Amino acid sequence: MQTLSNDAAARLSEGLAEPEAVAPMAVEAPINILIVDDEPKNLMVLETILDDPRYRLVRAESADQALLALLSRQFALIILDIRMPGTTGLELAKMIKERKKSSLIPIIFLTAYYNEDQHVLDGYGSGAVDYLYKPVNSAVLRSKVSVFADLHRKQLEVEFANQALQGEVASRRRAEEQLRELNVTLEQQVAERTKEIQTLLNEVNHRSKNILSLVLAIAKQTAVSAPNEFVQRFTRRVQALSTHQDLLLNSQWRSIDFSTLIRAQLAHFEDLVGERIILSGPPLRVAASAVQSIGMAVHELATNAVKHGALSNQKGHVDIAWQLVGSGSDQRRFLMSWRESDGPRIHAPRRRGFGSKVIKNMVELSLDGEVNLEYAPSGFSWQLACPTAKIRDHEATEGLSDEKKADQ
Amino acid sequence: MNERRRGNRTLVVEDEPLLAMDVADQLTDAGFEVVGPATSVANALKLLDEVGCDIAVLDIHLGHENSEPVALALKSRGNPFVVVSGNSQRQFPPGFKGAPFLSKPISAAALVSLLRTFVDVAE
C-alpha cells in the first residue's frame, strides 16, 4: 500500500518540504483532502465514498504520517479518526491547530455516537471543526466535504483576487513613484533650459551690441577713407561680416575649415578660384576667435586686388598659401601669404585707408602677429606670421590629425 | 567725481580688434595717450605692469574670459576706469559695480567727455 505521507517523507529528505506554491491553477485543480485513520480499510471506505475528480485524497495511517503530509502540501480539509494508537486524533488536531500554517484547515472528526469525545469536540466551537458519527453515512460525508470544498475554493478565489489587487496597488504605487521622479527630472530640465535660454539671451544681447558697434566703426572708417563710394564699400564690408555669422553658426560657433573661410570671402570671384586664384595649404580648423580677422583681411585684400591689383585686369593671379611651421605637434608658427602677380604695375598708396588698417593693424592686434606688406612693381604681397595657438582650434582633433598627415 | 588727474594715459581693453582700434583712434584724436589696446586679461595686466596708465576703458567680455581681474588691479592701483559693454548692468561681475558705464554701441564723444571728468586732456 502506498501512502502519500511516504512521499512526503521522501520530499522532506530531499529538502523539498516547501508547501506547494499557491498558483492560479489551484482554483481549477482538485483540492487536497487528508484522510487519517489507523485502519487501512476505513481509509478505503473513505476513498470509495469520496471518489470524485474534484478531490485528491491523501492517506495517512498515523499522526506522524499526517504531520509529514501537512508539511509537504496544502490541504483544504482533514478527515480525522479520533481513536488511533499512539497520538490520538484529538492530540493530532491540537498540534494541527497550533501550527500556524495548518491552523485554519477545517477538520471533520470521525467519532462513535454518544461518546465522551463529544464534549471535547464541543470545546472547539463551530466553523473550522465538524464531526461525523461512525459508521459513516456516505451521503452526509459527501455533503459535508462538498461544503468545505466550496468554502476552500471561495477562499482561494478571494486570496487570488486579493493578490491581484495587491499587485495592482503595488504597480500603481511604482507608477506613481516613477511619475514623481519623472516630474522632478522634468522640472530640473526645465530649470536648466530656462537658465540656458537666459544665458543665450544675454549672449545674444552682448553679441548683437558688439556687432552694432562693429558696424558703426566700419561705417565711420569707411566714411573717412572712401566717402565717394561709401554705400558700396560699406555694404560689402557688412556683407563680409555677415558671411562669418553663417559660417560660425553652421559650426556651432566653434571652428571653420580654413579654405572654406577663404572661399566664402572670395564668393564674388568663384569662377576665378582654381584658375587665377590658387589656394594652397594643409587642412586646418580655424578657431572662432580668429575667423573674423582672417575673413575681413581676405575681404579687404580681394577688394584692393579688384580695384588696383591682380584682379583688376584679365590675366593677373593671386596665390593664397598657408602653412604651419615646426615639427609634429609643435607647429608653433602660422604663416599665411597673399601674393599677386601679372597684374598692372602698382605703387604704394600715399594714404593708408581703412582697408590697410584692417589687413595690418587689426590682424596684428587680434592674432598677436606680424604683417608685412610689399608693393613690388610685379605685384602686391601680404604676409602674416602669428602663433599657431591664435589660429587653430585646439579642440578640433580632426583638423589636428589631418595636419599631422599633411606634415609627414 | 574723483579729483582730476594730470596724466591721461588711457589703457584700452577690448577684445574686438576693430572696436579696439576704433576706440584707440578716437582717443588719440581727442588728445589722449593710448596704452594698448589689450585684447585679453593677460595682455592688459602685462601692460599695467610694464607701462601703467592713469585711466582705463574696459570691455567686460573678452572672448571666453571677463576683465574683472583687470578691474580689480586698477582699483588696487587707484586708477579709475570706465566700463564699455554690450551686457546690461545687472549682469556685471561684482568687480565692476559702481563704475561709470557706457552701453555699446558707444558714441566717441560720450566716451571722451566721460574720460575728461577724470583726467586732464588738452583740447
Side-chain angles (χ1 to χ4, degrees):
Chain A
M1 176 183 54
Q2 194 187 353
T3 61
L4 280 169
S5 53
N6 284 344
D7 180 34
R11 290 179 64 147
L12 261 182
S13 67
E14 287 167 25
L16 297 170
E18 279 297 302
E20 284 167 16
V22 180
M25 293 281 287
V27 179
E28 309 301 329
I31 58 166
N32 292 328
I33 299 174
L34 180 62
I35 50 178
V36 190
D37 201 310
D38 59 313
E39 279 292 330
K41 66 173 188 297
N42 287 345
L43 289 173
M44 272 175 65
V45 169
L46 289 173
E47 282 171 337
T48 309
I49 296 170
L50 297 174
D51 182 23
D52 189 312
R54 291 176 300 156
Y55 308 142
R56 190 194 292 128
L57 300 179
V58 176
R59 303 166 59 130
E61 288 178 26
S62 67
D64 286 351
Q65 286 184 2
L67 287 171
L68 273 178
L70 282 163
L71 279 178
S72 68
R73 61 180 72 195
Q74 289 194 323
F75 288 95
L77 178 62
I78 300 167
I79 301 172
L80 183 52
D81 181 31
I82 290 182
R83 292 291 160 130
M84 287 194 296
T87 311
T88 68
L90 287 173
E91 288 164 340
L92 176 59
K94 191 165 178 280
M95 289 189 231
I96 291 169
K97 291 292 169 192
E98 280 171 358
R99 188 170 158 261
K100 201 180 168 194
K101 278 197 169 170
S102 56
S103 66
L104 294 176
I105 304 174
I107 298 173
I108 299 176
F109 287 107
L110 300 178
T111 177
Y113 195 60
Y114 286 134
N115 191 294
E116 71 271 16
D117 297 339
Q118 183 63 50
H119 306 294
V120 183
L121 293 175
D122 288 343
Y124 274 101
S126 59
V129 170
D130 204 341
Y131 51 88
L132 279 176
Y133 304 117
K134 281 180 173 177
V136 174
N137 177 317
S138 55
V140 173
L141 178 60
R142 270 199 292 269
S143 160
K144 281 191 187 290
V145 168
S146 168
V147 169
F148 282 114
D150 284 348
L151 191 68
H152 181 72
R153 284 204 174 86
K154 290 206 166 70
Q155 277 176 347
L156 282 184
E157 280 167 12
V158 168
E159 209 171 302
F160 293 143
N162 191 31
Q163 277 179 4
L165 213 60
Q166 281 180 346
E168 178 75 5
V169 168
S171 72
R172 288 207 179 177
R173 282 215 183 106
R174 273 198 300 276
E176 263 177 39
E177 188 53 38
Q178 284 170 348
L179 208 63
R180 238 195 313 277
E181 283 171 14
L182 213 61
N183 198 29
V184 169
T185 312
L186 212 63
E187 278 174 7
Q188 282 171 348
Q189 282 177 348
V190 167
E192 279 166 24
R193 281 290 154 85
T194 308
K195 210 176 150 194
E196 278 171 22
I197 289 172
Q198 191 53 53
T199 309
L200 200 67
L201 286 176
N202 292 344
E203 184 68 18
V204 166
N205 182 34
H206 160 75
R207 275 189 203 277
S208 60
K209 286 185 181 172
N210 241 10
I211 289 284
L212 287 174
S213 303
L214 213 53
V215 169
L216 204 60
I218 292 172
K220 275 189 292 189
Q221 298 280 356
T222 307
V224 170
S225 59
N228 300 328
E229 301 167 305
F230 175 80
V231 173
Q232 192 197 0
R233 284 283 187 105
F234 177 66
T235 306
R236 286 276 171 85
R237 280 170 175 153
V238 170
Q239 283 169 341
L241 208 59
S242 81
T243 301
H244 304 145
Q245 302 279 318
D246 290 337
L247 291 175
L248 284 169
L249 191 72
N250 291 340
S251 71
Q252 282 84 47
W253 225 269
R254 288 192 52 212
S255 65
I256 298 174
D257 174 62
F258 196 86
S259 62
T260 305
L261 171 61
I262 305 295
R263 281 166 191 274
Q265 286 302 341
L266 298 175
H268 292 298
F269 318 106
E270 206 174 351
D271 297 343
L272 303 183
V273 176
E275 303 288 330
R276 291 171 55 194
I277 304 177
I278 307 296
L279 275 59
S280 60
L284 173 66
R285 301 295 300 182
V286 189
S289 55
V291 162
Q292 189 161 292
S293 296
I294 298 280
M296 288 205 70
V298 170
H299 170 78
E300 294 300 332
L301 289 166
T303 304
N304 282 336
V306 168
K307 260 183 102 66
H308 313 288
L311 299 179
S312 68
N313 67 9
Q314 296 303 309
K315 57 187 179 87
H317 288 89
V318 179
D319 285 302
I320 305 169
W322 63 94
Q323 59 175 316
L324 295 162
V325 183
S327 58
S329 59
D330 193 32
Q331 296 171 312
R332 296 197 174 174
R333 296 296 279 179
F334 170 79
L335 303 180
M336 180 184 173
S337 61
W338 171 290
R339 292 177 197 280
E340 299 180 15
S341 56
D342 303 325
R345 281 185 68 89
I346 56 158
H347 312 279
R350 271 167 286 142
R351 193 174 54 84
R352 290 190 59 225
F354 177 57
S356 60
K357 271 191 198 165
V358 166
I359 63 176
K360 183 165 170 66
N361 308 45
M362 186 199 73
V363 170
E364 286 183 337
L365 180 62
S366 66
L367 301 179
D368 196 13
E370 291 158 32
V371 169
N372 280 305
L373 308 177
E374 276 177 44
Y375 296 89
S378 57
F380 166 77
S381 78
W382 172 92
Q383 290 163 70
L384 160 70
C386 74
T388 302
K390 286 281 177 181
I391 290 281
R392 187 157 68 183
D393 177 27
H394 288 271
E395 288 166 24
T397 49
E398 171 205 353
L400 282 175
S401 61
D402 284 351
E403 285 155 36
K404 275 177 192 159
K405 263 180 250 156
D407 198 49
Q408 280 157 6
Chain B
M1 287 282 186
N2 303 34
E3 63 184 83
R4 287 156 69 97
R5 288 151 196 270
R6 299 197 68 80
N8 66 36
R9 290 174 308 157
T10 308
L11 172 66
V12 175
V13 182
E14 162 67 64
D15 68 320
E16 187 63 62
L18 264 184
L19 295 186
M21 282 166 53
D22 189 44
V23 170
D25 285 355
Q26 312 271 7
L27 293 183
T28 307
D29 290 351
F32 289 82
E33 184 188 337
V34 172
V35 180
T39 56
S40 67
V41 170
N43 220 327
L45 292 177
K46 191 163 170 253
L47 283 171
L48 267 186
D49 252 16
E50 293 176 359
V51 185
C53 70
D54 299 300
I55 192 166
V57 179
L58 284 192
D59 179 22
I60 294 179
H61 268 271
L62 303 178
H64 298 295
E65 51 184 8
N66 80 54
S67 62
E68 195 177 23
V70 184
L72 297 177
L74 287 164
K75 275 186 181 169
S76 74
R77 298 165 62 104
N79 294 134
F81 58 89
V82 171
V83 178
V84 170
S85 175
N87 289 99
S88 69
Q89 217 163 351
R90 62 192 163 83
Q91 294 158 8
F92 284 8
F96 297 95
K97 291 275 153 66
F101 163 60
L102 292 175
S103 177
K104 282 185 180 178
I106 59 166
S107 107
L111 176 63
V112 166
S113 66
L114 183 57
L115 290 175
R116 280 194 175 130
T117 62
F118 291 95
V119 295
D120 278 326
V121 180
E123 306 221 11

